[in-house]
Amino acid sequence: MKRAAFGHISFPILLLLPQLVIIAIFFYWPAGYALQSSFYLEDPFGFGSTFVGMDNYTRLASSSSYMDAAWFTLIFTSLVTFFALAIALLLAVKADKVIRGARTYRTLLMWVYAIAPPVAGLIGVMLFDQSRGNITQLLGMMGIEYRLGVNYWDTASAMITVSIWKQIPVNFIFFLSGLQAIPQSVREAAMIDNRSGTRRFWDITFPLLAPTGFFLLIINITYSLFDTFGIVDTIVKGQPGNNPMTLVYRVFVDGFRGQDLGGSSAQSVVLMVLVLILTIVQFRFLERRIHYT
Amino acid sequence: MNLKKTVGLGLAFGLMAGAAQAQTEIEFWHAMGGQLGETVDQMAANFNASQGDYVITPVFKGTYEETLTSAIAAFRAGEQPNIVQVFDAGAATVIGAQGATVPVEQLLSDNGVAFDREDYISGVRNFYADADGQMIGMPFNSSTPIMYYNADALEAAGVTAPATWEEFAETTAPALLEAGYIPLAQSHLPWIFTENFFSRHNLQFASNDNGYTGVDTEIMVNHPAIRAHFNALTEWQEAGYFEWYGTGWGDNQDPFEAGEVAMWLGSSGSFGGIADRVDFNFSAAMLPYWEAVTTEPTQTFIGGAALFAMSGFDAAENEATAAFFDYLASTDNQVFWHVATGYVPITTAAYEAAAEQGHYEEFPAAEVGVQQLQLPAGEFTRGYRMGFYVQIRDVMNREYGRILTGETSVEDAFETIEAEANELLARFAQTQG
Amino acid sequence: MAEISETQVAATAPTRPVKRIRWDTIGDHAVLIAGALLMLVPVYMVFATSSWDAITIHREGMQFGFGEDMGVNYNAALFEYGGFTDSVNGVTMLANSMILGLGFAIGKIIVGMMAAYAIVYFRLRFATLAFWMIFTTLLLPLEVRILPSYEVITAMNLGNTYTGLIVPLIASATATFFFRQYFRSVPEELIEAARIDGAGPVKFFIDILVPLSKTMIAAMFIIMFVFGWNQYLWPTLITTDESLFTLVRGIRQIIQSYADGSETPDYGQAAALAIIAMTPPVLIVVFFQNWFVKGLTESDK
């Protein structure tokens, strides 16, 4: 809240109302519904249901395939987040440095941002296809046997690569904005203090970019967890089999595809709790950050 | 806008409303994308043109799974379509929910359409029927697993399509390997090498008559015969007789079309696509069987999907649905669908009509599926009825994949499948409580 | 900037050969060119592929060179009426995607700005609570709560409407969150000055805050437009009326048979549709990129 805030009561409530009504109906109600049905086993058509207490949760804890998905999600999220950030940062630093063609590079690098996830997944699945994939053929020429859909880690690497590819532009734009927001005076001062470009980057630029970076970290974690859904779905062609899948995709597979409402609701609730923890972390970080600036 | 135009428009609207009132409109949700979807549209348009009382609108709703889930969600919201296409693994969910659908046999007889289940090909008749044989869903795009082969490759190797797996292992595979081919691939291990494996050898797949007579069903997949089959598969894989390209259907089909794999087990409905794309002579044979298991191999059953009439509509709309089903089952339309798509005809009459037209002389491979569906039936050949079967297939796919990538043993995998499937079945039974 | 750095390096490290500086710049360009290629070659390949016939693509995969079916594929993708009612072709799908993208972006910006304004600029006892309630929605995607959302929309009789398509997607906090961030960085003096001038909350919002936020609004608009434009699962569930189908859904309908191999999907046409689907968001992103970057920069102060 601003120190010099308005004192009205009804007007701000009026302003908040549309947002609150929409999230109450389309977020809290469904979320509450998921919480409730996570304690039941329910016929999909709604004809019968049995209260099963914590069963839907305990079976998750004892399910090795769920734990596999959880581990994979952790690995997937870490790799996608790290590489999407690292590559974007490298490109942003370079784009900030060069004078000639800076705008052209920026335009070219932003392009992929506009591609729909199922389309990105399709591009990936075509490029990595076992028999006709261009990348598969390239790897074959290098003597690497690459088998999407057969080998767990081959499939995983395709998912990770496509997910990184899709996320680089957003990170790039944010990093570039962050870099360009560093005042000229700070840059010049840094020049005088530091001879080495590398040291200048780590000592001055990187700390100044840290807020952007931390914010992007959270954005990228949520992207890897949730928004890669379309990519995962397209790459496993809707049939996970012995291939890896993320937790969100598993909610979809069991609930939307398999009609196990109770089981998938319990998974949603687990996700919601994870999300809540993430939210708290982010909230605390933001508050601190605002204090700094 | 001038007055004349307004009046004219008003009149036009009035007329349109009048016309709409006279016709009963029904909706049909399906999962047929691409050219298949266009064929469905064509049939619906033909139906609309063939009479003046009913208007059907087909709507594409995504994959089979997305279509079923959309229909269920719509049912819960009271917005269900009159007809929904449901695939084999989802059948138990829909048939189990009594009151969600009107059994097709009842719908047809209620609306004065003559119906005799004996008109239907025997492998088609039972999959979407209840324990008493009453048809609940109307088989639509019906297919069954068959073995396609590259005739040029077999000729080069000097062999013919094997009738048994023993023949394959001893004669066919070594010769094909020698001739430079990968002898065998398949698409969809749960469907071809599990469900239809049990049917082809007349083995019990689940308790309660394969699940037809009760909901407290237990799967009996951990059978010595299928374990032996998968052990053979891993040996063949080792020896280069068999190659597995993952869970994806097309990934296993592509090498066959590219001429690398000599024989491929797939769907009778794949016929049209293969014919479009390959430049070698191909034909098809029935699914091989193990002589060690049975000397009297039985029929397979249909996969693909069926149409279900959802409940909650007035008599007029149900009448329209019945009329559309009647139209679809007519011999002319079945022949059209069969020839256009490669799916099997569902009635004996349609099969005979297609034969008379000379369709099978031109394409012998198109007949194999129909013949296989008409083989002698057995106690356990009508299909299976298990809840949460989509997930059970997921478990099978996962464990089979792990067998074929060497991550687990056949014995462990089948124990896992049985345990996880039974847990899912017990959970499904609870949803019905 | 690079010039300064070069001069500086040259001045302080005169022993180093001058050549090295040039190598540095070349290295920078090499990295950027590699990055651009990494991003764009796949897109180029989709474009090249969209000029081939389905069978070739099915056999050989994505193409580098151009085929002869460019005209056929784009004509079919744009103008050939598909579906049963013949009420939908590429152009109508384009229009629907546009409505979804615009409606979502505009709706979300308005709702989000209003809420953020209330939270930041008013002494509201439950402002923190409200913010938390809104904020929690940031991270749970629609896919996870899709079925109950569908039931609500149908119960409200909003199936097959643009409202039903758009409103549930607005139920997340991204825009509110960004605007809150931005408003908090707006100098205190502004509102003090406004109050001295006797401006009420409405006047302050419309005359001062909105114009001040225009780069932020532009950045939000781009992000939200792309998000709305690219939706797939929700539009598929909620619409049965073919005249409401969107481009991404059209692409899925064509490539549906990719996985099952029963027939040859119309890859060429799908690739053409993918290019068409990419074009408007790309144009928006490219043309408004300055605003975009500026909006984000200001919010990061």
Side-chain angles (χ1 to χ4, degrees):
Chain A
M1 202 203 299
K2 296 270 174 185
R3 270 175 289 118
F6 290 108
H8 302 65
I9 294 292
S10 50
F11 182 64
I13 292 176
L14 211 65
L15 287 171
L16 272 170
L17 211 57
Q19 174 96 60
L20 290 178
V21 168
I22 291 174
I23 62 168
I25 296 176
F26 294 108
F27 184 84
Y28 283 99
W29 190 81
Y33 178 88
L35 183 66
Q36 187 202 2
S37 67
S38 72
F39 298 110
Y40 287 84
L41 272 173
E42 190 181 358
D43 168 62
F45 284 91
F47 289 126
S49 75
T50 311
F51 181 77
V52 293
M54 297 298 287
D55 271 14
N56 288 326
Y57 292 96
T58 50
R59 75 184 280 270
L60 287 184
S62 62
S63 156
S64 64
S65 66
Y66 186 76
M67 286 302 152
D68 284 350
W71 276 114
F72 177 72
T73 309
L74 187 69
I75 296 166
F76 175 85
T77 306
S78 316
L79 290 176
V80 171
T81 304
F82 177 77
F83 283 106
L85 285 174
I87 297 172
L89 179 59
L90 174 72
L91 292 173
V93 169
K94 300 294 178 194
D96 186 46
K97 235 173 108 189
V98 300
I99 317 161
R100 220 164 299 161
R103 205 189 137 90
T104 315
Y105 286 127
R106 198 170 77 187
T107 307
L108 295 178
L109 287 164
M110 281 166 84
W111 204 305
V112 171
Y113 178 60
I115 295 176
V119 176
L122 183 72
I123 295 174
V125 101
M126 295 283 284
L127 287 175
F128 288 102
D129 189 279
Q130 263 186 67
S131 56
R132 51 184 166 241
N134 310 67
I135 294 179
T136 312
Q137 286 161 1
L138 199 70
L139 290 170
M141 279 186 252
M142 288 154 54
I144 301 166
E145 194 196 25
Y146 180 89
R147 301 192 72 189
L148 180 76
V150 176
N151 183 301
Y152 184 92
W153 290 109
D154 285 355
T155 312
S157 60
M159 286 176 185
I160 292 167
T161 311
V162 178
S163 302
I164 294 170
W165 179 70
K166 181 83 185 72
Q167 184 66 3
I168 287 174
V170 181
N171 294 345
F172 170 76
I173 296 160
F174 275 91
F175 274 133
L176 188 62
S177 313
L179 285 168
Q180 293 185 342
I182 297 175
Q184 195 64 28
S185 55
V186 175
R187 292 177 185 234
E188 276 158 16
M191 291 298 170
I192 295 158
D193 290 349
N194 270 303
R195 299 171 182 192
S196 146
T198 322
R199 268 198 57 195
R200 203 161 58 232
F201 174 77
W202 290 112
D203 292 351
I204 311 290
T205 318
F206 193 74
L208 283 171
L209 268 184
T212 312
F214 203 86
F215 165 76
L216 279 181
L217 183 70
I218 304 290
I219 293 288
N220 277 264
I221 290 172
T222 52
Y223 162 80
S224 320
L225 282 174
F226 299 128
D227 299 336
T228 50
F229 171 87
I231 294 172
V232 174
D233 184 48
T234 320
I235 286 183
V236 301
K237 298 173 180 167
Q239 298 274 3
N242 60 323
N243 293 302
M245 57 178 153
T246 59
L247 287 176
V248 167
Y249 189 62
R250 212 189 132 109
V251 172
F252 174 80
V253 162
D254 287 349
F256 197 87
R257 218 170 129 263
Q259 272 103 35
D260 179 2
L261 300 180
S264 85
S265 293
Q267 294 180 37
S268 302
V269 173
V270 170
L271 273 175
M272 276 193 258
V273 172
L274 285 178
V275 160
L276 204 66
I277 295 168
L278 263 180
T279 310
I280 292 166
V281 169
Q282 177 160 359
F283 194 79
R284 291 186 64 129
F285 151 71
L286 281 172
E287 290 314 285
R288 224 181 313 145
R289 191 181 138 207
I290 270 130
H291 184 71
Y292 282 153
T293 50
Chain B
M1 192 186 285
N2 64 38
L3 187 67
K4 219 171 169 183
K5 215 169 168 186
T6 315
V7 172
L9 268 175
L11 265 176
F13 271 113
L15 283 174
M16 272 161 67
Q21 260 171 10
Q23 294 181 314
T24 310
E25 289 180 21
I26 56 172
E27 210 163 90
F28 164 30
W29 290 5
H30 67 84
M32 311 261 84
Q35 291 156 19
L36 281 176
E38 284 164 25
T39 311
V40 168
D41 288 345
Q42 183 61 50
M43 290 176 88
N46 291 347
F47 170 72
N48 289 342
S50 73
Q51 39 73 43
D53 298 331
Y54 321 111
V55 176
I56 191 164
T57 309
V59 182
F60 171 76
K61 290 295 276 183
T63 61
Y64 281 138
E65 290 91 348
E66 286 160 6
T67 304
L68 177 59
T69 303
S70 303
I72 290 174
F75 181 84
R76 294 179 67 129
E79 297 281 331
Q80 69 272 32
N82 300 75
I83 302 169
V84 61
Q85 184 186 23
V86 179
F87 66 130
D88 50 1
T93 309
V94 176
I95 295 174
Q98 280 168 13
T101 59
V102 184
V104 63
E105 236 183 277
Q106 191 191 322
L107 179 86
L108 291 177
S109 58
D110 282 357
N111 288 288
V113 177
F115 180 85
D116 183 358
R117 61 179 82 140
E118 298 298 319
D119 289 346
Y120 289 75
I121 287 172
S122 71
V124 171
R125 205 182 292 157
N126 287 309
F127 190 85
Y128 297 102
D130 65 11
D132 305 323
Q134 178 185 219
M135 274 170 62
I136 311 290
M138 169 94 178
F140 179 55
N141 52 323
S142 307
S143 55
T144 202
I146 57 172
M147 182 169 72
Y148 290 94
Y149 57 85
N150 180 333
D152 299 348
L154 266 63
E155 203 183 291
V159 288
T160 53
T164 66
W165 289 119
E166 281 88 349
E167 185 190 343
F168 169 79
E170 284 153 25
T171 317
T172 328
L176 284 167
L177 189 66
E178 183 76 5
Y181 292 93
I182 296 166
L184 181 74
Q186 65 75 52
S187 290
H188 212 318
L189 291 160
W191 186 48
I192 298 175
F193 277 168
T194 314
E195 297 148 23
N196 278 291
F197 180 89
F198 277 81
S199 183
R200 192 84 173 100
H201 298 92
N202 195 24
L203 302 170
Q204 186 165 9
F205 188 33
S207 65
N208 289 334
D209 268 333
N210 281 1
Y212 275 75
T213 53
V215 75
D216 55 341
T217 302
E218 290 200 346
I219 201 167
M220 297 160 79
V221 68
N222 194 0
H223 190 283
I226 195 172
R227 287 202 305 267
H229 182 68
F230 272 85
N231 275 316
L233 274 184
T234 55
E235 283 163 24
W236 295 344
Q237 194 185 17
E238 197 94 333
Y241 295 173
F242 169 73
E243 186 65 84
W244 182 69
Y245 298 89
T247 310
W249 181 287
D251 291 334
N252 291 283
Q253 186 174 347
D254 293 338
F256 171 71
E257 292 180 359
E260 294 157 18
V261 166
M263 302 192 295
W264 169 70
L265 307 178
S267 159
S268 56
S270 306
F271 173 76
I274 298 176
D276 280 353
R277 292 188 295 252
V278 302
D279 41 23
F280 52 79
N281 293 309
F282 78 98
S283 190
M286 291 188 198
L287 272 191
Y289 58 95
W290 284 98
E291 226 170 350
V293 179
T294 181
T295 48
E296 289 167 15
T298 39
Q299 63 179 208
T300 54
F301 53 82
I302 48 167
L307 306 185
F308 284 80
M310 300 202 81
S311 64
F313 294 102
D314 60 24
E317 291 194 28
N318 282 341
E319 185 189 306
T321 304
F324 181 63
F325 282 174
D326 187 35
Y327 179 82
L328 279 187
S330 73
T331 304
D332 285 353
N333 279 305
Q334 279 302 311
V335 174
F336 169 73
W337 177 245
H338 174 48
V339 172
T341 66
Y343 284 111
V344 296
I346 56 175
T347 59
T348 323
Y351 169 49
E352 284 161 1
E356 257 170 53
Q357 286 181 12
H359 183 54
Y360 305 127
E361 277 158 35
E362 202 178 340
F363 306 109
E367 194 177 12
V368 175
V370 200
Q371 288 170 330
Q372 188 173 282
L373 287 167
Q374 296 182 101
L375 288 174
E379 199 183 344
F380 303 113
T381 59
R382 61 174 151 178
Y384 57 88
R385 176 82 18 93
M386 283 180 263
F388 285 161
Y389 199 73
V390 176
Q391 279 119 299
I392 293 177
R393 271 189 178 169
D394 283 344
V395 173
M396 288 177 183
N397 270 325
R398 187 188 74 221
E399 292 302 316
Y400 293 160
R402 297 183 64 218
I403 292 174
L404 294 169
T405 51
E407 288 167 54
T408 185
S409 71
V410 171
E411 280 66 29
D412 288 351
F414 276 95
E415 259 171 46
T416 309
I417 294 169
E418 187 158 78
E420 287 194 31
N422 280 333
E423 197 242 359
L424 284 164
L425 286 169
R427 280 162 53 75
F428 182 76
Q430 276 184 294
T431 69
Q432 304 291 303
Chain C
M1 181 80 340
E3 259 173 2
I4 296 169
S5 117
E6 281 158 21
T7 333
Q8 191 66 34
V9 172
T12 50
T15 44
R16 285 190 186 164
V18 181
K19 211 177 160 194
R20 197 191 133 81
I21 298 156
R22 249 191 68 220
W23 280 121
D24 241 31
T25 318
I26 290 171
D28 292 346
H29 281 283
V31 169
L32 285 167
I33 289 166
L37 286 178
L38 171 78
M39 299 317 286
L40 286 179
V41 167
V43 178
Y44 162 77
M45 288 175 75
V46 176
F47 184 56
T49 304
S50 72
S51 69
W52 289 87
D53 61 290
I55 300 278
T56 308
I57 304 167
H58 185 83
R59 285 194 185 148
E60 296 168 15
M62 300 234 283
Q63 301 290 319
F64 273 105
F66 285 89
E68 292 176 351
D69 284 6
M70 178 83 71
V72 180
N73 285 337
Y74 280 88
N75 192 46
L78 273 174
F79 303 112
E80 199 170 274
Y81 279 92
F84 176 69
T85 49
D86 276 352
S87 57
V88 62
N89 62 10
V91 175
T92 46
M93 288 195 285
L94 199 66
N96 285 329
S97 292
M98 194 63 85
I99 291 170
L100 182 57
L102 286 176
F104 172 71
I106 294 169
K108 192 145 177 169
I109 287 169
I110 292 174
V111 168
M113 265 187 109
M114 279 163 56
Y117 182 52
I119 290 169
V120 177
Y121 281 94
F122 291 87
R123 260 183 234 105
L124 209 54
R125 207 172 303 156
F126 64 88
T128 314
L129 177 75
F131 175 69
W132 262 91
M133 281 183 64
I134 295 167
F135 195 88
T136 320
T137 63
L138 182 62
L139 306 169
L140 198 60
L142 186 70
E143 280 80 9
V144 175
R145 53 189 160 88
I146 194 161
L147 289 176
S149 301
Y150 174 80
E151 285 190 26
V152 176
I153 280 295
T154 328
M156 292 163 85
N157 230 341
L158 289 173
N160 274 327
T161 62
Y162 288 116
T163 319
L165 263 177
I166 293 165
V167 174
L169 294 171
I170 296 178
S172 97
T174 2
T176 317
F177 164 72
F178 277 108
F179 279 116
R180 174 181 175 273
Q181 285 290 93
Y182 179 75
F183 289 162
R184 291 179 74 139
S185 72
V186 171
E188 297 276 342
E189 296 77 35
L190 269 178
I191 184 169
E192 276 157 14
R195 294 183 75 180
I196 291 164
D197 288 349
V202 181
K203 200 173 157 53
F204 175 72
F205 186 59
I206 292 171
D207 288 354
I208 297 171
L209 209 52
V210 172
L212 199 65
S213 317
K214 63 175 189 287
T215 50
M216 188 64 193
I217 293 173
M220 278 300 100
F221 177 80
I222 293 168
I223 293 177
M224 299 304 154
F225 178 80
V226 171
F227 183 85
W229 179 274
N230 285 340
Q231 286 299 308
Y232 161 67
L233 201 60
W234 178 250
T236 304
L237 189 66
I238 199 78
T239 56
T240 55
D241 187 343
E242 283 178 348
S243 59
L244 290 172
F245 284 8
T246 61
L247 274 173
V248 179
R249 184 175 171 167
I251 295 169
R252 278 288 295 241
Q253 180 153 5
I254 295 176
I255 62 173
Q256 168 104 350
S257 43
Y258 177 80
D260 66 31
S262 58
E263 46 165 299
T264 319
D266 232 320
Y267 294 103
Q269 201 183 324
L273 262 188
I275 293 290
I276 294 165
M278 239 178 260
T279 308
V282 165
L283 288 180
I284 287 188
V285 168
V286 168
F287 280 125
F288 292 101
Q289 57 172 318
N290 280 339
W291 280 31
F292 191 65
V293 173
K294 233 166 134 191
L296 296 174
T297 313
E298 283 169 8
S299 76
D300 270 339
K301 259 176 205 155

